[in-house]
Amino acid sequence: MLVLTDIHKTYRMGETDVLALRGVSLDLPPGQFSVIMGHSGSGKSTLMHLAGCLDVPTSGSVAYGGRNLTTLSSRERADFRSSEVGFVFQKYNLVGNLSALDNVALPMLLRGTSTTQAHEQAHAALDQVGLSGRTGHRPSKLSGGEQQRVAIARALVNDPSMVLADEPTGNLDTATGDLILALLRRLPQEDKMVLVVTHNPEIAETADLLVCLRDGRIESAQSQDAQQTHASQKVAR
Amino acid sequence: MSTNLLRLALKNIASRRTRSWLTILGVLVGVTAVVALLSIGTGVQEAVLQQFEDIGYDIILIAPFNTAGGRMAGAMGGTPSGGIAASGMAGRLGATGPTASGASSTGGTFSPQNLTGGNDDPSPSGSGTQTFDSQRSLGTGLDAELLLTQVPQLVEAGTLGTQIHPVDAGTTSGFLRVSTPSLEFLEAFPSVLGGFQMAEGTTFTSTTENQVVVGARTADLLEIHTGDTVDISGEVFTVVGILEARESSDEAAESEESNPLTGQGLTRSLGTSQTTNLITRGLGNTDDALFVLYERAAEVLSGREAMSVTITRVEQGASISETMDAINVAIGQQDATGTPISIQEVADEIQGTLGLIETVLASIAAVALVVGGVGLMNTMYTAVLERTREIGILKSVGARDRQVMTLFLIDSGLMGFLGGILGLVLGSVLSFFGTRLLGPSLGVGSFSPVISIGLVLGVLAFSFVLGAFSGAWPAWRASRLNPVDALAAE
């Protein structure tokens, strides 16, 4: 369970303080597909970065499995990301000079796994996302959809307990986006917690929990049941 | 884990080939310069010191000048200029007559290069005669046997005279240096005359016959062989032996080409020309001389004494400085003139000077290495800027700060190391050719560069450390990047 309690995050931009998050509290249980929506600048990505230990809050606490992540050292946060978190980004964020296989193996190589074992697992992960025939290609030789699938394979290769995706279908056409969404959607069945930040309402419709952010605050948080009731009410009217 | 980081760094270097090679080139140039200069410098040092070692560190020369004086080296006629000029002389002899133009231009010294011709009557004339006369007083006046009794630390002593004589070999003629060692001298101090090894014929067999042993180049110039006769100041001598060449004619020619003005080579440039030329070029140069036994010379070539050097050998274990003090006292007691010169002291002096030169040259070369390091730092700094996003990616997938730093350090260290290896190879090749070119002009003949294990390991370690050090600040900067900011970089 990821528990965010009264999170505040302030960025300093020149002489101005920008309040990205203002007292956000949220519980995200394992095996749940959660979606965060909101306008640009509402604090979606900041929330995802805090959840994945890429950043620390200005105040408040982030806890995972009862462990307070806000007090971790830089090294401990890196280890936490390595073992518990898989990131998927809108711009794929693959290392350009590495092949698809090496990109996927990268988290394992950084953990000290032998190259042979890392490549074996990377092969398996790429096979899972349907890219077993493209392992030797560099990112520049792959389509957007293929690159995002490589990114998903990389996010999954260390078998993390949470997958955080920031606009994973933002740069993809509808068909490819659906394919990526299907890949992400099946992860909760493996008891992984999935948190997707998106503008896409179609993804929101599939969420177990939909959180809407506005100006750094939670505007609404609805479970799937509540969403369905809300949708039924709209149809009845 | 470090193996994985090494592999990742190698892939990164390979993926940025052009920039990596240009960076490596910067280090390569610096390392090449350092390796070439150090190996050549050490080679020169060893070659020069070998000459002294060959003569013997237990030898003390007593030269007929004060250390501040300056007439003897030229008078010995054994400098490269003498030898090389003699080479030139062969082509000029026998054409226009026996004029000895400008022979006094070097301050009372005689040099065959000043000759423009020769014929059946090669007697000196004009300024040449004046020069000859001026040399007559250049002797120590020491009694070597008396010296042995005066200075108990000495075990052997002998005098080597040197004269300049008109020499006629039939087809060619000219003024040449005639050394007059005694039989005892040849037995006691062959090392002073380069071993006095025969290439042809034998050494002296008689003190009553007119026998001459000829230096290799002089024999070539005069076109003579054993059994031939030569006329020395009107006396006919039979050639009984020809000495082994100490310096090849090619080397001599190269020496002349590369340093035509002085021909004195390294020893003069070191500022110790008088003493060291006497030792390494004057006495040791047997190529450009004829040798007549002192006993015969005293009888048939008397009145032609140009100068003499007394040579002594110190008893094993005796103090060189105390012996030299005792020699000075003995010179005074004999009412003679002369300055004792210890081979050991001269060698130490040259070693010190060469070491200093080597250090200065290596320091200059090190500047090139530092420039290479700055280039490497620039490349790494640019790489950090360019790879900011990649650093963010690495951190997002679990890379620790230290791992990011290590990755960049390996990256720069490897480029430095590669530059070191290639620089070492190129520097070695250059030093090999460099020694071939520089040897004759430095006055040490042919010599080999010294590329020690210490130099190899030192250069490789230093180039890796230079690379890593140059990349340290950019790497540290990379490791400190906030992952969120790094991921947001374009």
Side-chain angles (χ1 to χ4, degrees):
Chain A
M1 169 83 81
L2 180 70
V3 180
L4 296 97
T5 308
D6 195 23
I7 298 292
H8 287 78
K9 180 66 183 178
T10 305
Y11 292 112
R12 185 90 181 160
M13 294 186 73
E15 296 295 308
T16 316
D17 284 338
V18 177
L19 300 172
L21 292 174
R22 311 172 190 209
V24 171
S25 295
L26 197 61
D27 292 354
L28 299 169
Q32 182 172 279
F33 186 85
S34 305
V35 171
I36 299 176
M37 289 191 75
H39 296 293
S40 295
S42 61
K44 309 184 296 291
S45 294
T46 301
L47 187 62
M48 193 193 86
H49 293 151
L50 293 173
C53 249
L54 271 180
D55 209 349
V56 288
T58 309
S59 67
S61 73
V62 180
Y64 188 75
R67 186 182 182 195
N68 187 355
L69 304 182
T70 50
T71 57
L72 298 182
S73 66
S74 171
R75 177 180 172 151
E76 288 168 332
R77 287 202 304 276
D79 290 347
F80 178 79
R81 290 194 295 270
S82 174
S83 59
E84 302 293 346
V85 187
F87 283 101
V88 179
F89 299 97
Q90 181 180 359
K91 291 178 181 172
Y92 326 126
N93 282 346
L94 300 175
V95 179
N97 58 44
L98 297 180
S99 66
L101 186 70
D102 282 328
N103 263 289
V104 176
L106 190 58
M108 303 199 74
L109 294 171
L110 290 170
R111 286 180 78 174
T113 311
S114 71
T115 309
T116 313
Q117 195 185 338
H119 279 176
E120 271 177 23
Q121 288 189 231
H123 266 296
L126 282 168
D127 194 35
Q128 252 187 311
V129 298
L131 280 178
S132 54
R134 311 281 279 168
T135 55
H137 291 69
R138 288 192 177 185
S140 58
K141 303 292 179 190
L142 300 171
S143 69
E146 287 173 329
Q147 289 189 57
Q148 195 61 297
R149 280 191 279 165
V150 172
I152 291 173
R154 183 182 65 189
L156 299 177
V157 77
N158 268 347
D159 194 24
S161 56
M162 73 164 94
V163 175
L164 307 175
D166 191 356
E167 296 282 9
T169 61
N171 284 355
L172 305 174
D173 59 66
T174 309
T176 312
D178 289 345
L179 184 68
I180 297 300
L181 184 59
L183 283 169
L184 292 172
R185 198 64 190 82
R186 73 181 187 216
L187 294 177
Q189 295 163 17
E190 299 168 18
D191 210 29
K192 295 184 192 304
M193 189 209 87
V194 179
L195 178 65
V196 178
V197 170
T198 184
H199 285 108
N200 188 339
E202 288 177 18
I203 297 179
E205 283 173 11
T206 66
D208 298 325
L209 175 69
L210 175 62
V211 178
C212 290
L213 284 181
R214 189 183 185 89
D215 297 331
R217 291 190 178 91
I218 294 179
E219 189 179 49
S220 65
Q222 289 178 301
S223 66
Q224 192 176 40
D225 295 343
Q227 283 189 75
Q228 283 171 350
T229 308
H230 183 65
S232 305
Q233 286 170 348
K234 281 174 81 175
V235 170
R237 280 180 207 153
Chain B
M1 189 180 291
S2 54
T3 316
N4 292 341
L5 291 177
L6 179 66
R7 196 172 285 116
L8 287 171
L10 280 172
K11 283 185 178 174
N12 178 59
I13 290 174
S15 71
R16 293 171 168 82
R17 279 199 193 101
T18 307
R19 180 175 297 183
S20 298
W21 277 116
L22 287 174
T23 308
I24 288 167
L25 187 65
V27 179
L28 184 153
V29 169
V31 172
T32 300
V34 168
V35 169
L37 285 174
L38 282 181
S39 59
I40 289 174
T42 311
V44 169
Q45 206 168 0
E46 288 197 0
V48 170
L49 293 178
Q50 185 61 46
Q51 291 186 331
F52 291 100
E53 201 171 321
D54 289 346
I55 294 170
Y57 287 128
D58 56 351
I59 299 277
I60 293 178
L61 304 169
I62 303 164
F65 56 77
N66 295 322
T67 48
R71 290 192 296 170
M72 198 187 89
M76 290 298 289
T79 61
S81 66
I84 293 152
S87 303
M89 179 181 76
R92 297 195 292 268
L93 289 174
T96 58
T99 51
S101 62
S104 61
S105 62
T106 53
T109 62
F110 178 87
S111 174
Q113 79 185 93
N114 298 317
L115 290 173
T116 56
N119 59 12
D120 294 338
D121 180 16
S123 57
S125 63
S127 57
T129 305
Q130 290 169 1
T131 303
F132 185 81
D133 289 339
S134 71
Q135 294 173 338
R136 296 186 67 168
S137 61
L138 281 172
T140 58
L142 268 175
D143 183 330
E145 285 184 20
L146 181 58
L147 187 67
L148 275 176
T149 59
Q150 287 175 303
V151 184
Q153 295 98 320
L154 298 179
V155 289
E156 287 172 313
T159 301
L160 176 68
T162 297
Q163 308 172 1
I164 303 298
H165 284 278
V167 177
D168 185 359
T171 54
T172 50
S173 60
F175 285 91
L176 290 175
R177 177 160 62 96
V178 178
S179 288
T180 57
S182 65
L183 267 179
E184 291 75 16
F185 182 93
L186 286 176
E187 283 170 13
F189 303 104
S191 63
V192 174
L193 297 175
F196 212 68
Q197 297 292 317
M198 298 298 145
E200 191 182 311
T202 63
T203 186
F204 301 102
T205 55
S206 166
T207 56
T208 55
E209 295 172 19
N210 283 355
Q211 295 181 336
V212 63
V213 170
V214 186
R217 198 152 46 231
T218 304
D220 284 344
L221 292 172
L222 297 176
E223 297 171 4
I224 52 176
H225 300 280
T226 50
D228 292 348
T229 56
V230 291
D231 185 304
I232 302 174
S233 286
E235 287 287 330
V236 177
F237 283 77
T238 304
V239 178
V240 291
I242 293 181
L243 290 172
E244 278 184 358
R246 301 211 68 207
E247 186 182 47
S248 73
S249 55
D250 287 347
E251 286 169 357
E254 284 178 47
S255 172
E256 173 71 0
E257 284 169 15
S258 57
N259 200 353
L261 291 178
T262 66
Q264 298 292 323
L266 180 66
T267 49
R268 171 162 288 183
S269 67
L270 291 175
T272 55
S273 62
Q274 194 171 351
T275 306
T276 50
N277 272 335
L278 166 64
I279 296 162
T280 63
R281 291 286 147 199
L283 301 177
N285 175 17
T286 55
D287 291 345
D288 300 307
L290 297 95
F291 295 85
V292 173
L293 272 184
Y294 176 78
E295 292 80 352
R296 287 308 298 163
E299 200 166 314
V300 299
L301 299 175
S302 59
R304 293 282 188 177
E305 183 74 17
M307 63 143 272
S308 65
V309 178
T310 303
I311 299 185
T312 64
R313 174 167 283 120
V314 181
E315 190 179 27
Q316 198 172 5
S319 160
I320 296 284
S321 59
E322 283 175 15
T323 308
M324 286 173 70
D325 289 343
I327 289 173
N328 273 325
V329 172
I331 290 171
Q333 287 171 347
Q334 289 196 26
D335 199 21
T337 57
T339 305
I341 303 161
S342 155
I343 294 289
Q344 178 72 62
E345 283 182 357
V346 174
D348 288 346
E349 184 187 349
I350 286 191
Q351 192 170 21
T353 311
L354 283 171
L356 187 66
I357 290 172
E358 196 179 3
T359 306
V360 170
L361 290 177
S363 304
I364 293 167
V367 172
L369 201 52
V370 170
V371 171
V374 172
L376 186 58
M377 188 183 284
N378 180 49
T379 300
M380 293 310 297
Y381 181 70
T382 311
V384 169
L385 292 179
E386 283 181 351
R387 295 168 66 189
T388 301
R389 191 183 185 83
E390 186 184 320
I391 293 164
I393 296 169
L394 289 170
K395 290 198 164 190
S396 73
V397 299
R400 297 171 184 166
D401 292 354
R402 187 179 288 258
Q403 284 180 306
V404 172
M405 184 161 174
T406 306
L407 192 62
F408 275 82
L409 282 179
I410 292 176
D411 208 344
S412 58
L414 274 179
M415 284 196 278
F417 190 65
L418 273 174
I421 290 176
L422 295 174
L424 189 64
V425 172
L426 189 61
S428 303
V429 172
L430 276 182
S431 62
F432 176 76
F433 287 109
T435 51
R436 300 276 300 166
L437 292 171
L438 289 173
S441 61
L442 290 176
V444 290
S446 64
F447 67 103
S448 302
V450 177
I451 302 166
S452 63
I453 294 290
L455 178 66
V456 171
L457 295 180
V459 161
L460 292 181
F462 182 74
S463 53
F464 180 79
V465 170
L466 175 80
F469 181 77
S470 303
W473 180 65
W476 179 82
R477 202 169 173 277
S479 73
R480 304 293 296 173
L481 281 175
N482 178 296
V484 174
D485 294 339
L487 282 169
E490 290 299 328

